[in-house]
Amino acid sequence: TAGAPLAASALLKTLGERISAIEGKREESNTASQPDLEARIGELEARVVQSMDDRVAKLDARVSTSMSELEARTMQLSESMLASRVEAARADIEGKVDAQVD
């Protein structure tokens, strides 16, 4: 049983070496895949930025269209209001003229 501590020590040494080897392989794998991950992250960032740019452009176009429509509608209303005022003033003047003639 004096050899048992030696066997246990050898077993621990072997396990330690295997663990070190596995950790080394994991580090190599992580190091090797890091550029791929960085490239994928860069691609995703570019896609997100492009998507946001597209959405902003669409919103800008919609706002511009809405503003143009609003300006056109405002002009129509202004012209309509002006025409109504002119018509009311004409009717008022005609009424006054008719009253003076009678």
Side-chain angles (χ1 to χ4, degrees):
T1 54
L6 268 160
S9 176
L11 180 61
L12 286 175
K13 182 180 178 187
T14 302
L15 285 173
E17 290 171 352
R18 286 184 178 178
I19 290 171
S20 293
I22 290 170
E23 288 175 345
K25 287 181 182 178
R26 184 180 298 149
E27 287 179 19
E28 287 175 19
S29 174
N30 288 344
T31 302
S33 65
Q34 187 172 357
D36 292 339
L37 290 174
E38 290 174 356
R40 290 183 63 198
I41 288 170
E43 290 170 6
L44 288 173
E45 287 175 342
R47 288 174 50 196
V48 166
V49 168
Q50 185 61 50
S51 175
M52 290 175 67
D53 287 348
D54 292 347
R55 288 180 180 181
V56 168
K58 286 179 185 177
L59 286 172
D60 185 50
R62 288 167 67 188
V63 167
S64 294
T65 299
S66 295
M67 290 297 293
S68 296
E69 291 171 355
L70 181 60
E71 289 171 355
R73 183 70 179 137
T74 301
M75 289 294 290
Q76 289 173 348
L77 289 173
S78 294
E79 290 171 1
S80 175
M81 288 174 57
L82 182 60
S84 295
R85 286 183 181 172
V86 167
E87 186 60 34
R90 187 181 65 75
D92 185 47
I93 292 170
E94 284 178 355
K96 288 178 182 179
V97 168
D98 286 342
Q100 288 179 359
V101 171
D102 290 339

